[in-house]
Amino acid sequence: MAQPDGSDGAGAGQEDAGGGAQLSEAEAELAAQRVERERIARRKAEKKSPVEAGAKLSGTAADLLAAVRAVESGAKPAATVFSEPPAPRRPAPEPVRRAQPVAVDAPPAPAPEAVEGVRRVLVEGGAPDTLASQVAAALGEGAEDRLRSDPWQLLRVGGVRPEQADGFARALLGAECRPDDERRGRAVTGWLLEQAAVAGHTALEMPTLTAALQRQGVPDPDAAVQSAIAEGEALVFQDALDGAPAEADGEEDEDEARPVRILVGLERYALAEESLADGLGRLVNSVPKQDGSAERWEAAAAAAEGSAADLIRAVAGHGLVLHTGGAAALAEPAALLRAADGLGVRAWAAAHGPLGRDRCAALVGDGPGVATVSGLLSGAEGPGRDADGALDLDLLVVLDAPQLDVETGALLAESLPDGARLVLSGDPGVLWSAGPGRVFADLLAARVCPQVASRRPDPGPLGELVSGVGIGELTQVEAPGKEVVIVPVRDAGEAVHRTVQLVADSVPRAIGVPAEETQVITPGHGGAAGTRALNAALKERLNPGPGRFGGFDPGDRVAYSPAPGRTVPGRVVKADADGLHLSCAGALVVVPKERVERTVRHGWALTAHQAVGGRWPAVVVVLPGDAAAALSRPWVYTAFGRAERHLSVVHGVEQALARAVAEVPAKPRTTRLPALLAPQVPATAQ
């Protein structure tokens, strides 16, 4: 990396924001997901024959699968469920998948009398009555009676932990509250699966789940899981292990058990992952719409340069194509979009957030449309939908593809019309999605469709540094123009001081990037040098004020989260009785007062997860000593890669940074997508 410099360095930031991200758009996106999940559930229920599997399992695994069969049939678990030989694990994908038009109404708020009833139960059990609205919404109709009869239902509310639910249950049930209560085991099972989803898993392997239940003091983990399955609160699956045949060969020894893994997951993510596999399988096996002769596609490819030509040729003949590369590689999807538009193809691109959308739009120019993924799905942006409810387009290029979780991916795949082409493009080295799944990585590993790797390197010292991090090497780069600067610090207090100095003074003076275009990135929100501490110090220096509206003043940079996992940079315009008025990418967003605390943070400093998908002229990455355990190669790669012209590293982790880059890869996620794709696509697909 560059030589240490005590005075000059930089930060990062750009106040660009939320591509039309009105509150109604967030509500529409959530409504779209809700309607899509209901549609998928209905489709699964209408299939003519159940999925038969597991005839060669025994013990707990057989009991769990029996529980699923019993739930599906409406009977209690029985030992005789597996009397028939196994049929193929999954039916073939349906030939047509149509996403239906989505209502944009937000889910109704719980009735005041329902909230009041829940409030009484919470007070009786010694829980905060401020949770009443959330509990009523989570439990739905009859929430008061459900909570009173099963106090561990409190775990359905985000942020509540088992020990807190246990205290609430003891207050309500008294001597009837026992650690081996079936209700507790069932609720803790669901809670653990929700926590796994937050960590990115779409399901958990059975040994992992039972071990976690033991750590939570559940005396009989197997019984707890079976109870959750019997009540329909979890699903169990068996997936063939890598290298194992998907179906038993007729000549094989019938007594030879097929190697499988037993997984347990929540229905919400199971249905989304299956729907995603169906939709992707449909694209892989389909013939793209003949919207341009082969000669015209070849002529467009010949006119392109390098791997952009390879991308155009791959898209010409395939329904699904993967494209990988760094920041500079964005020029290749842009070339594809321009070429497709010239052929009369209705082409659109969708980026993770407004920063990526605007960057792509600048490269594409007039013609093809560019939207955000959330805006495309909600209808706030994009071409709209045809009479069948599918997106009214022929080619969709999804940028920042590593940010796709299984639910968003399923919505996109199900929304494409027959004959459409889908290109997933992104940098596989960045942090994965905030939601569960690793869609892009799973597809790359599965090799079920053409993959085009960009040969266009990111330029300059920053490109050299980030490329090295991507292969596990923290190299020292020559930076004659102060493109990369290291600022060593001894403790968190000094880290905060030097960060403010860099953003307010050093970077504007030495690099010429103003403070409003410099973004600070740090590993977490808490700690002495987390986003909270850094934003407080930066606000005091750059926009001091009393914070009369929830801690905010006009001119404050903010990070607005209209939906979980999505961050939109913006700036406070004003505050009044309607709420906090934000300017996000030129659009006005009004956040009601009751939502400000949950959805708006100061935005001079972000985490790398919040910053992914955006780039700024200058970035200051802050690495205090207590951040060493949070570092990994994808985190460093993502944080360093947000800088366009200048990167300052406020360095207080000593050798931990180099070790993280060399030795700490991405944390594994348990997903089912590769196993679900295997029977749906040709084994030789490349």
Side-chain angles (χ1 to χ4, degrees), residues 429-431 521 608-609 611-613 633-643:
V430 300
L431 291 164
I521 299 175
H609 285 87
V612 70
R633 185 185 307 155
W635 193 96
V636 177
Y637 185 90
T638 302
F640 287 9
R642 300 313 93 203

Side-chain angles (χ1 to χ4, degrees), residues 21-403:
Q22 300 289 347
L23 182 61
S24 60
E25 175 195 337
E27 294 171 344
E29 181 183 354
L30 293 174
Q33 293 180 0
R34 186 177 68 256
V35 172
E36 182 67 12
R37 286 197 298 271
E38 292 172 354
R39 191 193 66 77
I40 294 168
R42 288 195 301 271
R43 174 170 57 79
K44 298 294 181 185
E46 291 167 359
K47 289 190 174 180
K48 294 183 179 179
S49 60
V51 178
E52 296 291 344
K56 295 183 179 180
L57 298 178
S58 61
T60 300
D63 292 340
L64 293 176
L65 286 169
V68 174
R69 303 295 191 272
V71 170
E72 293 173 343
S73 65
K76 293 183 178 180
T80 59
V81 173
F82 298 113
S83 58
E84 298 293 331
R89 185 180 60 82
R90 285 178 50 80
E94 297 175 16
V96 178
R97 296 282 188 261
R98 292 296 194 195
Q100 300 303 316
V102 172
V104 298
D105 295 332
E113 56 271 20
V115 174
E116 186 56 37
V118 169
R119 192 187 312 278
R120 289 193 295 269
V121 181
L122 291 173
V123 171
E124 185 179 341
D129 62 356
T130 53
L131 296 177
S133 180
Q134 292 174 262
V135 174
L139 299 187
E141 186 176 355
E144 178 183 359
D145 293 337
R146 291 183 63 188
L147 185 62
R148 187 177 297 279
S149 62
D150 184 356
W152 287 282
Q153 291 289 311
L154 191 64
L155 283 173
R156 292 182 178 271
V157 176
V160 177
R161 296 186 56 80
E163 57 268 25
Q164 296 166 323
D166 288 341
F168 177 66
R170 282 193 296 270
L172 283 182
L173 302 178
E176 296 181 14
C177 180
R178 302 185 311 275
D180 62 349
D181 193 303
E182 183 181 20
R183 294 169 294 182
R184 180 179 189 272
R186 196 163 55 236
V188 173
T189 299
W191 179 81
L192 286 170
L193 292 174
E194 288 284 5
Q195 298 307 301
V198 171
H201 307 283
T202 59
L204 286 179
E205 293 194 27
M206 179 60 68
T208 301
L209 179 56
T210 54
L213 284 165
Q214 286 180 321
R215 289 193 294 272
Q216 293 296 331
V218 176
D220 190 345
D222 290 335
V225 177
Q226 188 165 343
S227 175
I229 293 168
E231 292 296 324
E233 297 179 6
L235 300 178
V236 64
F237 316 93
Q238 64 156 345
D239 286 345
L241 294 174
D242 292 343
E247 299 180 31
D249 188 282
E251 299 179 358
E252 287 185 315
D253 184 351
E254 290 294 331
D255 294 329
E256 182 181 351
R258 184 177 65 174
V260 297
R261 63 174 183 170
I262 306 301
L263 298 169
V264 181
L266 297 171
E267 181 181 43
R268 168 182 177 180
Y269 304 117
L271 291 179
E273 205 157 22
E274 292 191 2
S275 176
L276 174 59
D278 287 350
L280 294 174
R282 174 171 62 96
L283 291 170
V284 170
N285 293 316
S286 67
V287 177
K289 179 180 177 182
Q290 297 303 308
D291 42 20
S293 67
E295 292 77 12
R296 293 185 66 200
W297 277 100
E298 179 56 34
E305 298 180 355
S307 40
D310 299 336
L311 181 60
I312 293 172
R313 290 190 180 96
V315 171
H318 297 84
L320 177 64
V321 176
L322 308 181
H323 172 259
T324 60
L330 180 61
E332 293 162 7
L336 166 65
L337 289 162
R338 291 194 299 270
D341 185 65
L343 295 172
V345 176
R346 298 172 299 168
W348 276 81
H352 177 58
L355 299 182
R357 178 201 60 197
D358 295 347
R359 189 166 66 251
C360 180
L363 289 174
V364 170
D366 297 331
V370 186
T372 62
V373 171
S374 59
L376 183 74
L377 290 174
S378 69
E381 304 174 65
R385 296 184 181 254
D386 61 22
D388 293 322
L391 291 170
D392 197 12
L393 48 74
D394 303 315
L395 167 65
L396 176 62
V397 179
V398 178
L399 309 172
D400 309 311
Q403 302 312 303

Side-chain angles (χ1 to χ4, degrees), residues 284-285 318 320 443 445-451 680-686:
V284 170
N285 293 316
H318 297 84
L320 177 64
L443 280 170
R447 305 196 66 81
V448 297
C449 64
Q451 301 182 16
Q680 299 200 45
V681 298
T684 57
Q686 295 292 327

